[in-house]
mmCIF file of all heavy atoms in Angstrom:
data_model
loop_
_atom_site.group_PDB
_atom_site.id
_atom_site.type_symbol
_atom_site.label_atom_id
_atom_site.label_comp_id
_atom_site.label_asym_id
_atom_site.label_seq_id
_atom_site.Cartn_x
_atom_site.Cartn_y
_atom_site.Cartn_z
ATOM 1 N N LEU A 1063 -14.786 -4.588 -2.678
ATOM 2 C CA LEU A 1063 -16.231 -4.708 -2.483
ATOM 3 C C LEU A 1063 -16.846 -3.342 -2.728
ATOM 4 O O LEU A 1063 -16.798 -2.458 -1.870
ATOM 5 C CB LEU A 1063 -16.563 -5.202 -1.068
ATOM 6 C CG LEU A 1063 -18.055 -5.437 -0.786
ATOM 7 C CD1 LEU A 1063 -18.600 -6.564 -1.660
ATOM 8 C CD2 LEU A 1063 -18.283 -5.760 0.694
ATOM 9 N N THR A 1064 -17.432 -3.171 -3.898
ATOM 10 C CA THR A 1064 -18.047 -1.891 -4.220
ATOM 11 C C THR A 1064 -19.292 -1.683 -3.376
ATOM 12 O O THR A 1064 -19.856 -2.632 -2.815
ATOM 13 C CB THR A 1064 -18.442 -1.837 -5.705
ATOM 14 O OG1 THR A 1064 -19.434 -2.848 -5.966
ATOM 15 C CG2 THR A 1064 -17.223 -2.070 -6.602
ATOM 16 N N ALA A 1065 -19.759 -0.442 -3.308
ATOM 17 C CA ALA A 1065 -20.989 -0.151 -2.567
ATOM 18 C C ALA A 1065 -22.162 -0.929 -3.156
ATOM 19 O O ALA A 1065 -23.010 -1.452 -2.425
ATOM 20 C CB ALA A 1065 -21.275 1.344 -2.590
ATOM 21 N N PHE A 1066 -22.187 -1.049 -4.477
ATOM 22 C CA PHE A 1066 -23.256 -1.784 -5.148
ATOM 23 C C PHE A 1066 -23.268 -3.246 -4.709
ATOM 24 O O PHE A 1066 -24.313 -3.788 -4.324
ATOM 25 C CB PHE A 1066 -23.064 -1.684 -6.666
ATOM 26 C CG PHE A 1066 -24.053 -2.485 -7.471
ATOM 27 C CD1 PHE A 1066 -25.362 -2.052 -7.626
ATOM 28 C CD2 PHE A 1066 -23.667 -3.664 -8.086
ATOM 29 C CE1 PHE A 1066 -26.277 -2.790 -8.370
ATOM 30 C CE2 PHE A 1066 -24.571 -4.409 -8.824
ATOM 31 C CZ PHE A 1066 -25.881 -3.966 -8.974
ATOM 32 N N ASN A 1067 -22.098 -3.885 -4.747
ATOM 33 C CA ASN A 1067 -22.029 -5.289 -4.341
ATOM 34 C C ASN A 1067 -22.204 -5.453 -2.839
ATOM 35 O O ASN A 1067 -22.757 -6.453 -2.378
ATOM 36 C CB ASN A 1067 -20.715 -5.910 -4.801
ATOM 37 C CG ASN A 1067 -20.735 -6.269 -6.275
ATOM 38 O OD1 ASN A 1067 -21.779 -6.597 -6.827
ATOM 39 N ND2 ASN A 1067 -19.580 -6.193 -6.927
ATOM 40 N N GLY A 1068 -21.742 -4.479 -2.073
ATOM 41 C CA GLY A 1068 -21.923 -4.546 -0.630
ATOM 42 C C GLY A 1068 -23.394 -4.546 -0.245
ATOM 43 O O GLY A 1068 -23.817 -5.266 0.660
ATOM 44 N N ARG A 1069 -24.181 -3.735 -0.948
ATOM 45 C CA ARG A 1069 -25.623 -3.706 -0.687
ATOM 46 C C ARG A 1069 -26.252 -5.050 -1.031
ATOM 47 O O ARG A 1069 -27.145 -5.536 -0.317
ATOM 48 C CB ARG A 1069 -26.273 -2.585 -1.493
ATOM 49 C CG ARG A 1069 -25.928 -1.178 -1.012
ATOM 50 C CD ARG A 1069 -26.615 -0.121 -1.821
ATOM 51 N NE ARG A 1069 -28.067 -0.181 -1.670
ATOM 52 C CZ ARG A 1069 -28.916 0.646 -2.291
ATOM 53 N NH1 ARG A 1069 -28.450 1.589 -3.093
ATOM 54 N NH2 ARG A 1069 -30.213 0.522 -2.102
ATOM 55 N N ARG A 1070 -25.797 -5.659 -2.124
ATOM 56 C CA ARG A 1070 -26.351 -6.950 -2.511
ATOM 57 C C ARG A 1070 -25.991 -8.035 -1.494
ATOM 58 O O ARG A 1070 -26.812 -8.908 -1.185
ATOM 59 C CB ARG A 1070 -25.876 -7.329 -3.916
ATOM 60 C CG ARG A 1070 -26.375 -6.370 -4.993
ATOM 61 C CD ARG A 1070 -26.443 -7.007 -6.357
ATOM 62 N NE ARG A 1070 -25.123 -7.270 -6.925
ATOM 63 C CZ ARG A 1070 -24.937 -7.750 -8.160
ATOM 64 N NH1 ARG A 1070 -25.984 -8.023 -8.938
ATOM 65 N NH2 ARG A 1070 -23.720 -7.957 -8.622
ATOM 66 N N VAL A 1071 -24.760 -7.973 -0.977
ATOM 67 C CA VAL A 1071 -24.361 -8.932 0.060
ATOM 68 C C VAL A 1071 -25.242 -8.757 1.297
ATOM 69 O O VAL A 1071 -25.742 -9.737 1.874
ATOM 70 C CB VAL A 1071 -22.874 -8.752 0.413
ATOM 71 C CG1 VAL A 1071 -22.514 -9.537 1.676
ATOM 72 C CG2 VAL A 1071 -21.984 -9.211 -0.743
ATOM 73 N N ASP A 1072 -25.445 -7.519 1.718
ATOM 74 C CA ASP A 1072 -26.275 -7.266 2.901
ATOM 75 C C ASP A 1072 -27.705 -7.764 2.693
ATOM 76 O O ASP A 1072 -28.324 -8.330 3.607
ATOM 77 C CB ASP A 1072 -26.292 -5.772 3.222
ATOM 78 C CG ASP A 1072 -24.981 -5.290 3.833
ATOM 79 O OD1 ASP A 1072 -24.202 -6.139 4.297
ATOM 80 O OD2 ASP A 1072 -24.757 -4.070 3.845
ATOM 81 N N GLU A 1073 -28.222 -7.547 1.493
ATOM 82 C CA GLU A 1073 -29.588 -7.990 1.209
ATOM 83 C C GLU A 1073 -29.727 -9.504 1.359
ATOM 84 O O GLU A 1073 -30.734 -10.004 1.866
ATOM 85 C CB GLU A 1073 -29.987 -7.562 -0.202
ATOM 86 C CG GLU A 1073 -30.245 -6.075 -0.357
ATOM 87 C CD GLU A 1073 -30.383 -5.664 -1.816
ATOM 88 O OE1 GLU A 1073 -30.265 -6.560 -2.696
ATOM 89 O OE2 GLU A 1073 -30.598 -4.462 -2.080
ATOM 90 N N GLN A 1074 -28.700 -10.228 0.936
ATOM 91 C CA GLN A 1074 -28.764 -11.687 0.983
ATOM 92 C C GLN A 1074 -28.480 -12.245 2.377
ATOM 93 O O GLN A 1074 -28.941 -13.342 2.717
ATOM 94 C CB GLN A 1074 -27.776 -12.288 -0.025
ATOM 95 C CG GLN A 1074 -28.109 -11.994 -1.469
ATOM 96 C CD GLN A 1074 -29.481 -12.505 -1.866
ATOM 97 O OE1 GLN A 1074 -29.874 -13.612 -1.488
ATOM 98 N NE2 GLN A 1074 -30.226 -11.699 -2.617
ATOM 99 N N LEU A 1075 -27.730 -11.503 3.180
ATOM 100 C CA LEU A 1075 -27.306 -12.048 4.472
ATOM 101 C C LEU A 1075 -28.086 -11.503 5.662
ATOM 102 O O LEU A 1075 -27.914 -11.990 6.784
ATOM 103 C CB LEU A 1075 -25.812 -11.768 4.688
ATOM 104 C CG LEU A 1075 -24.852 -12.395 3.673
ATOM 105 C CD1 LEU A 1075 -23.402 -12.148 4.100
ATOM 106 C CD2 LEU A 1075 -25.098 -13.879 3.496
ATOM 107 N N GLN A 1076 -28.945 -10.511 5.438
ATOM 108 C CA GLN A 1076 -29.596 -9.852 6.568
ATOM 109 C C GLN A 1076 -30.458 -10.807 7.400
ATOM 110 O O GLN A 1076 -30.619 -10.624 8.613
ATOM 111 C CB GLN A 1076 -30.443 -8.675 6.082
ATOM 112 C CG GLN A 1076 -31.539 -9.027 5.106
ATOM 113 C CD GLN A 1076 -32.266 -7.793 4.590
ATOM 114 O OE1 GLN A 1076 -32.115 -6.694 5.140
ATOM 115 N NE2 GLN A 1076 -33.052 -7.946 3.528
ATOM 116 N N THR A 1077 -30.992 -11.845 6.781
ATOM 117 C CA THR A 1077 -31.776 -12.834 7.536
ATOM 118 C C THR A 1077 -31.069 -14.185 7.603
ATOM 119 O O THR A 1077 -31.646 -15.157 8.109
ATOM 120 C CB THR A 1077 -33.160 -13.032 6.885
ATOM 121 O OG1 THR A 1077 -32.995 -13.499 5.544
ATOM 122 C CG2 THR A 1077 -33.944 -11.735 6.894
ATOM 123 N N PHE A 1078 -29.832 -14.232 7.097
ATOM 124 C CA PHE A 1078 -29.105 -15.507 7.039
ATOM 125 C C PHE A 1078 -28.399 -15.820 8.354
ATOM 126 O O PHE A 1078 -28.340 -16.962 8.803
ATOM 127 C CB PHE A 1078 -28.090 -15.473 5.893
ATOM 128 C CG PHE A 1078 -27.356 -16.773 5.691
ATOM 129 C CD1 PHE A 1078 -27.885 -17.757 4.878
ATOM 130 C CD2 PHE A 1078 -26.136 -17.008 6.316
ATOM 131 C CE1 PHE A 1078 -27.219 -18.962 4.687
ATOM 132 C CE2 PHE A 1078 -25.457 -18.204 6.134
ATOM 133 C CZ PHE A 1078 -26.013 -19.186 5.320
ATOM 134 N N GLY A 1079 -27.818 -14.786 8.956
ATOM 135 C CA GLY A 1079 -27.067 -14.975 10.188
ATOM 136 C C GLY A 1079 -26.805 -13.647 10.858
ATOM 137 O O GLY A 1079 -27.394 -12.618 10.499
ATOM 138 N N GLN A 1080 -25.920 -13.664 11.833
ATOM 139 C CA GLN A 1080 -25.534 -12.425 12.519
ATOM 140 C C GLN A 1080 -24.306 -11.860 11.820
ATOM 141 O O GLN A 1080 -23.254 -12.489 11.798
ATOM 142 C CB GLN A 1080 -25.226 -12.704 13.992
ATOM 143 C CG GLN A 1080 -24.861 -11.460 14.776
ATOM 144 C CD GLN A 1080 -24.485 -11.764 16.213
ATOM 145 O OE1 GLN A 1080 -24.579 -12.906 16.652
ATOM 146 N NE2 GLN A 1080 -24.051 -10.745 16.937
ATOM 147 N N ILE A 1081 -24.432 -10.676 11.237
ATOM 148 C CA ILE A 1081 -23.369 -10.092 10.433
ATOM 149 C C ILE A 1081 -22.612 -9.029 11.232
ATOM 150 O O ILE A 1081 -23.224 -8.188 11.894
ATOM 151 C CB ILE A 1081 -23.941 -9.480 9.139
ATOM 152 C CG1 ILE A 1081 -24.780 -10.513 8.389
ATOM 153 C CG2 ILE A 1081 -22.818 -8.957 8.248
ATOM 154 C CD1 ILE A 1081 -24.057 -11.801 8.085
ATOM 155 N N ALA A 1082 -21.292 -9.080 11.165
ATOM 156 C CA ALA A 1082 -20.440 -8.114 11.860
ATOM 157 C C ALA A 1082 -19.435 -7.521 10.869
ATOM 158 O O ALA A 1082 -19.036 -8.189 9.906
ATOM 159 C CB ALA A 1082 -19.706 -8.787 13.014
ATOM 160 N N ASP A 1083 -19.040 -6.287 11.099
ATOM 161 C CA ASP A 1083 -18.025 -5.640 10.256
ATOM 162 C C ASP A 1083 -16.649 -6.173 10.662
ATOM 163 O O ASP A 1083 -16.179 -5.924 11.772
ATOM 164 C CB ASP A 1083 -18.088 -4.127 10.424
ATOM 165 C CG ASP A 1083 -17.205 -3.381 9.432
ATOM 166 O OD1 ASP A 1083 -16.345 -4.022 8.793
ATOM 167 O OD2 ASP A 1083 -17.365 -2.157 9.295
ATOM 168 N N ALA A 1084 -16.007 -6.892 9.750
ATOM 169 C CA ALA A 1084 -14.687 -7.462 10.024
ATOM 170 C C ALA A 1084 -13.582 -6.703 9.294
ATOM 171 O O ALA A 1084 -12.476 -7.215 9.130
ATOM 172 C CB ALA A 1084 -14.660 -8.934 9.620
ATOM 173 N N SER A 1085 -13.886 -5.487 8.864
ATOM 174 C CA SER A 1085 -12.874 -4.687 8.172
ATOM 175 C C SER A 1085 -11.661 -4.464 9.080
ATOM 176 O O SER A 1085 -11.801 -4.185 10.267
ATOM 177 C CB SER A 1085 -13.461 -3.328 7.781
ATOM 178 O OG SER A 1085 -14.600 -3.471 6.973
ATOM 179 N N GLY A 1086 -10.498 -4.593 8.513
ATOM 180 C CA GLY A 1086 -9.273 -4.289 9.248
ATOM 181 C C GLY A 1086 -8.679 -5.435 10.027
ATOM 182 O O GLY A 1086 -7.546 -5.326 10.515
ATOM 183 N N ILE A 1087 -9.392 -6.560 10.162
ATOM 184 C CA ILE A 1087 -8.825 -7.672 10.929
ATOM 185 C C ILE A 1087 -7.563 -8.195 10.264
ATOM 186 O O ILE A 1087 -6.500 -8.285 10.882
ATOM 187 C CB ILE A 1087 -9.866 -8.801 11.097
ATOM 188 C CG1 ILE A 1087 -11.003 -8.357 12.021
ATOM 189 C CG2 ILE A 1087 -9.199 -10.047 11.671
ATOM 190 C CD1 ILE A 1087 -12.079 -9.415 12.207
ATOM 191 N N VAL A 1088 -7.673 -8.547 8.981
ATOM 192 C CA VAL A 1088 -6.496 -9.043 8.275
ATOM 193 C C VAL A 1088 -5.502 -7.916 8.040
ATOM 194 O O VAL A 1088 -4.280 -8.121 8.109
ATOM 195 C CB VAL A 1088 -6.897 -9.712 6.955
ATOM 196 C CG1 VAL A 1088 -5.661 -10.178 6.181
ATOM 197 C CG2 VAL A 1088 -7.814 -10.902 7.216
ATOM 198 N N GLY A 1089 -6.015 -6.715 7.785
ATOM 199 C CA GLY A 1089 -5.131 -5.581 7.562
ATOM 200 C C GLY A 1089 -4.186 -5.343 8.723
ATOM 201 O O GLY A 1089 -3.004 -5.048 8.531
ATOM 202 N N ARG A 1090 -4.682 -5.481 9.940
ATOM 203 C CA ARG A 1090 -3.812 -5.271 11.094
ATOM 204 C C ARG A 1090 -2.815 -6.415 11.258
ATOM 205 O O ARG A 1090 -1.680 -6.205 11.693
ATOM 206 C CB ARG A 1090 -4.628 -5.102 12.379
ATOM 207 C CG ARG A 1090 -3.766 -4.573 13.514
ATOM 208 C CD ARG A 1090 -4.564 -4.029 14.678
ATOM 209 N NE ARG A 1090 -3.695 -3.258 15.539
ATOM 210 C CZ ARG A 1090 -2.827 -3.794 16.382
ATOM 211 N NH1 ARG A 1090 -2.704 -5.111 16.452
ATOM 212 N NH2 ARG A 1090 -2.061 -3.027 17.144
ATOM 213 N N LEU A 1091 -3.220 -7.622 10.909
ATOM 214 C CA LEU A 1091 -2.272 -8.732 10.943
ATOM 215 C C LEU A 1091 -1.140 -8.498 9.935
ATOM 216 O O LEU A 1091 0.019 -8.822 10.208
ATOM 217 C CB LEU A 1091 -2.991 -10.052 10.622
ATOM 218 C CG LEU A 1091 -4.020 -10.536 11.650
ATOM 219 C CD1 LEU A 1091 -4.721 -11.785 11.139
ATOM 220 C CD2 LEU A 1091 -3.369 -10.803 13.000
ATOM 221 N N ARG A 1092 -1.481 -7.927 8.792
ATOM 222 C CA ARG A 1092 -0.469 -7.664 7.755
ATOM 223 C C ARG A 1092 0.489 -6.555 8.154
ATOM 224 O O ARG A 1092 1.567 -6.414 7.562
ATOM 225 C CB ARG A 1092 -1.151 -7.272 6.436
ATOM 226 C CG ARG A 1092 -1.946 -8.384 5.794
ATOM 227 C CD ARG A 1092 -2.349 -8.047 4.357
ATOM 228 N NE ARG A 1092 -3.118 -6.828 4.247
ATOM 229 C CZ ARG A 1092 -2.637 -5.669 3.800
ATOM 230 N NH1 ARG A 1092 -1.373 -5.549 3.428
ATOM 231 N NH2 ARG A 1092 -3.422 -4.604 3.733
ATOM 232 N N LEU A 1093 0.112 -5.744 9.117
ATOM 233 C CA LEU A 1093 0.967 -4.635 9.550
ATOM 234 C C LEU A 1093 2.303 -5.116 10.076
ATOM 235 O O LEU A 1093 3.336 -4.461 9.891
ATOM 236 C CB LEU A 1093 0.223 -3.824 10.622
ATOM 237 C CG LEU A 1093 0.957 -2.677 11.308
ATOM 238 C CD1 LEU A 1093 1.413 -1.627 10.312
ATOM 239 C CD2 LEU A 1093 0.055 -2.043 12.374
ATOM 240 N N PHE A 1094 2.311 -6.281 10.716
ATOM 241 C CA PHE A 1094 3.534 -6.812 11.325
ATOM 242 C C PHE A 1094 4.155 -7.833 10.377
ATOM 243 O O PHE A 1094 3.556 -8.866 10.085
ATOM 244 C CB PHE A 1094 3.216 -7.438 12.677
ATOM 245 C CG PHE A 1094 2.505 -6.491 13.603
ATOM 246 C CD1 PHE A 1094 1.118 -6.489 13.696
ATOM 247 C CD2 PHE A 1094 3.219 -5.568 14.343
ATOM 248 C CE1 PHE A 1094 0.460 -5.605 14.532
ATOM 249 C CE2 PHE A 1094 2.577 -4.671 15.178
ATOM 250 C CZ PHE A 1094 1.192 -4.686 15.272
ATOM 251 N N LYS A 1095 5.349 -7.546 9.888
ATOM 252 C CA LYS A 1095 5.970 -8.339 8.840
ATOM 253 C C LYS A 1095 6.814 -9.482 9.401
ATOM 254 O O LYS A 1095 7.557 -9.313 10.382
ATOM 255 C CB LYS A 1095 6.838 -7.448 7.951
ATOM 256 C CG LYS A 1095 6.125 -6.225 7.365
ATOM 257 C CD LYS A 1095 4.926 -6.601 6.507
ATOM 258 C CE LYS A 1095 4.352 -5.426 5.728
ATOM 259 N NZ LYS A 1095 3.710 -4.400 6.574
ATOM 260 N N SER A 1096 6.706 -10.620 8.759
ATOM 261 C CA SER A 1096 7.537 -11.777 9.100
ATOM 262 C C SER A 1096 8.927 -11.594 8.486
ATOM 263 O O SER A 1096 9.121 -10.733 7.613
ATOM 264 C CB SER A 1096 6.896 -13.047 8.548
ATOM 265 O OG SER A 1096 6.975 -13.055 7.126
ATOM 266 N N PRO A 1097 9.915 -12.393 8.907
ATOM 267 C CA PRO A 1097 11.236 -12.304 8.266
ATOM 268 C C PRO A 1097 11.179 -12.481 6.752
ATOM 269 O O PRO A 1097 11.899 -11.802 6.017
ATOM 270 C CB PRO A 1097 12.014 -13.431 8.946
ATOM 271 C CG PRO A 1097 11.397 -13.545 10.304
ATOM 272 C CD PRO A 1097 9.931 -13.296 10.079
ATOM 273 N N ALA A 1098 10.331 -13.378 6.280
ATOM 274 C CA ALA A 1098 10.220 -13.585 4.833
ATOM 275 C C ALA A 1098 9.652 -12.355 4.146
ATOM 276 O O ALA A 1098 10.073 -11.999 3.030
ATOM 277 C CB ALA A 1098 9.340 -14.802 4.553
ATOM 278 N N GLU A 1099 8.708 -11.676 4.780
ATOM 279 C CA GLU A 1099 8.148 -10.460 4.204
ATOM 280 C C GLU A 1099 9.157 -9.323 4.237
ATOM 281 O O GLU A 1099 9.234 -8.516 3.296
ATOM 282 C CB GLU A 1099 6.888 -10.054 4.960
ATOM 283 C CG GLU A 1099 5.701 -10.976 4.746
ATOM 284 C CD GLU A 1099 4.484 -10.519 5.518
ATOM 285 O OE1 GLU A 1099 4.511 -10.614 6.766
ATOM 286 O OE2 GLU A 1099 3.516 -10.065 4.892
ATOM 287 N N ILE A 1100 9.923 -9.242 5.296
ATOM 288 C CA ILE A 1100 10.952 -8.199 5.377
ATOM 289 C C ILE A 1100 11.962 -8.361 4.243
ATOM 290 O O ILE A 1100 12.417 -7.369 3.648
ATOM 291 C CB ILE A 1100 11.646 -8.249 6.756
ATOM 292 C CG1 ILE A 1100 10.660 -7.788 7.842
ATOM 293 C CG2 ILE A 1100 12.896 -7.376 6.772
ATOM 294 C CD1 ILE A 1100 11.155 -8.004 9.251
ATOM 295 N N ALA A 1101 12.287 -9.590 3.904
ATOM 296 C CA ALA A 1101 13.202 -9.838 2.785
ATOM 297 C C ALA A 1101 12.609 -9.318 1.482
ATOM 298 O O ALA A 1101 13.331 -8.764 0.631
ATOM 299 C CB ALA A 1101 13.505 -11.324 2.674
ATOM 300 N N LYS A 1102 11.301 -9.469 1.286
ATOM 301 C CA LYS A 1102 10.641 -8.928 0.097
ATOM 302 C C LYS A 1102 10.725 -7.403 0.090
ATOM 303 O O LYS A 1102 10.996 -6.782 -0.951
ATOM 304 C CB LYS A 1102 9.168 -9.336 0.066
ATOM 305 C CG LYS A 1102 8.885 -10.820 0.168
ATOM 306 C CD LYS A 1102 9.218 -11.578 -1.074
ATOM 307 C CE LYS A 1102 8.702 -13.015 -0.964
ATOM 308 N NZ LYS A 1102 9.177 -13.877 -2.057
ATOM 309 N N ALA A 1103 10.488 -6.783 1.251
ATOM 310 C CA ALA A 1103 10.539 -5.324 1.346
ATOM 311 C C ALA A 1103 11.944 -4.806 1.063
ATOM 312 O O ALA A 1103 12.114 -3.763 0.405
ATOM 313 C CB ALA A 1103 10.071 -4.875 2.727
ATOM 314 N N GLU A 1104 12.944 -5.508 1.549
ATOM 315 C CA GLU A 1104 14.331 -5.089 1.299
ATOM 316 C C GLU A 1104 14.673 -5.192 -0.181
ATOM 317 O O GLU A 1104 15.376 -4.326 -0.728
ATOM 318 C CB GLU A 1104 15.268 -5.934 2.153
ATOM 319 C CG GLU A 1104 15.157 -5.628 3.644
ATOM 320 C CD GLU A 1104 15.974 -6.561 4.511
ATOM 321 O OE1 GLU A 1104 16.272 -7.703 4.059
ATOM 322 O OE2 GLU A 1104 16.314 -6.183 5.643
ATOM 323 N N LYS A 1105 14.200 -6.238 -0.836
ATOM 324 C CA LYS A 1105 14.413 -6.357 -2.287
ATOM 325 C C LYS A 1105 13.700 -5.232 -3.016
ATOM 326 O O LYS A 1105 14.252 -4.628 -3.947
ATOM 327 C CB LYS A 1105 13.899 -7.718 -2.758
ATOM 328 C CG LYS A 1105 13.896 -7.903 -4.280
ATOM 329 C CD LYS A 1105 15.290 -7.854 -4.878
ATOM 330 C CE LYS A 1105 15.221 -8.167 -6.378
ATOM 331 N NZ LYS A 1105 16.565 -8.064 -7.025
ATOM 332 N N ALA A 1106 12.480 -4.919 -2.590
ATOM 333 C CA ALA A 1106 11.731 -3.816 -3.203
ATOM 334 C C ALA A 1106 12.484 -2.498 -3.037
ATOM 335 O O ALA A 1106 12.521 -1.672 -3.960
ATOM 336 C CB ALA A 1106 10.338 -3.728 -2.586
ATOM 337 N N ALA A 1107 13.078 -2.303 -1.867
ATOM 338 C CA ALA A 1107 13.828 -1.068 -1.620
ATOM 339 C C ALA A 1107 15.057 -0.977 -2.521
ATOM 340 O O ALA A 1107 15.420 0.106 -2.997
ATOM 341 C CB ALA A 1107 14.232 -0.991 -0.155
ATOM 342 N N ASN A 1108 15.707 -2.093 -2.763
ATOM 343 C CA ASN A 1108 16.838 -2.097 -3.701
ATOM 344 C C ASN A 1108 16.383 -1.656 -5.088
ATOM 345 O O ASN A 1108 17.085 -0.912 -5.789
ATOM 346 C CB ASN A 1108 17.461 -3.495 -3.775
ATOM 347 C CG ASN A 1108 18.252 -3.848 -2.539
ATOM 348 O OD1 ASN A 1108 18.736 -2.975 -1.829
ATOM 349 N ND2 ASN A 1108 18.398 -5.131 -2.273
ATOM 350 N N LEU A 1109 15.203 -2.109 -5.490
ATOM 351 C CA LEU A 1109 14.666 -1.721 -6.793
ATOM 352 C C LEU A 1109 14.296 -0.242 -6.822
ATOM 353 O O LEU A 1109 14.437 0.421 -7.855
ATOM 354 C CB LEU A 1109 13.453 -2.587 -7.135
ATOM 355 C CG LEU A 1109 13.734 -4.087 -7.313
ATOM 356 C CD1 LEU A 1109 12.440 -4.858 -7.544
ATOM 357 C CD2 LEU A 1109 14.706 -4.320 -8.468
ATOM 358 N N SER A 1110 13.831 0.293 -5.695
ATOM 359 C CA SER A 1110 13.570 1.740 -5.611
ATOM 360 C C SER A 1110 14.853 2.524 -5.851
ATOM 361 O O SER A 1110 14.864 3.521 -6.594
ATOM 362 C CB SER A 1110 13.000 2.097 -4.238
ATOM 363 O OG SER A 1110 11.731 1.561 -4.041
ATOM 364 N N ASP A 1111 15.914 2.092 -5.214
ATOM 365 C CA ASP A 1111 17.209 2.753 -5.403
ATOM 366 C C ASP A 1111 17.683 2.636 -6.847
ATOM 367 O O ASP A 1111 18.210 3.595 -7.430
ATOM 368 C CB ASP A 1111 18.247 2.140 -4.460
ATOM 369 C CG ASP A 1111 18.047 2.560 -3.017
ATOM 370 O OD1 ASP A 1111 17.548 3.661 -2.770
ATOM 371 O OD2 ASP A 1111 18.411 1.762 -2.124
ATOM 372 N N ASP A 1112 17.493 1.462 -7.426
ATOM 373 C CA ASP A 1112 17.890 1.273 -8.822
ATOM 374 C C ASP A 1112 17.119 2.217 -9.740
ATOM 375 O O ASP A 1112 17.675 2.746 -10.715
ATOM 376 C CB ASP A 1112 17.636 -0.171 -9.252
ATOM 377 C CG ASP A 1112 18.556 -1.175 -8.558
ATOM 378 O OD1 ASP A 1112 19.562 -0.748 -7.973
ATOM 379 O OD2 ASP A 1112 18.242 -2.386 -8.614
#
Side-chain angles (χ1 to χ4, degrees):
L1063 183 64
T1064 63
F1066 176 75
N1067 282 329
R1069 290 181 65 180
R1070 296 205 290 184
V1071 168
D1072 286 343
E1073 288 169 0
Q1074 295 301 318
L1075 298 186
Q1076 59 184 347
T1077 60
F1078 184 88
Q1080 182 183 355
I1081 307 305
D1083 188 346
S1085 302
I1087 291 179
V1088 177
R1090 193 164 194 284
L1091 293 175
R1092 293 192 303 104
L1093 175 59
F1094 305 95
K1095 306 301 190 292
S1096 69
E1099 290 180 291
I1100 291 171
K1102 306 287 189 189
E1104 291 174 336
K1105 173 63 175 177
N1108 287 335
L1109 296 176
S1110 293
D1111 286 330
D1112 292 345

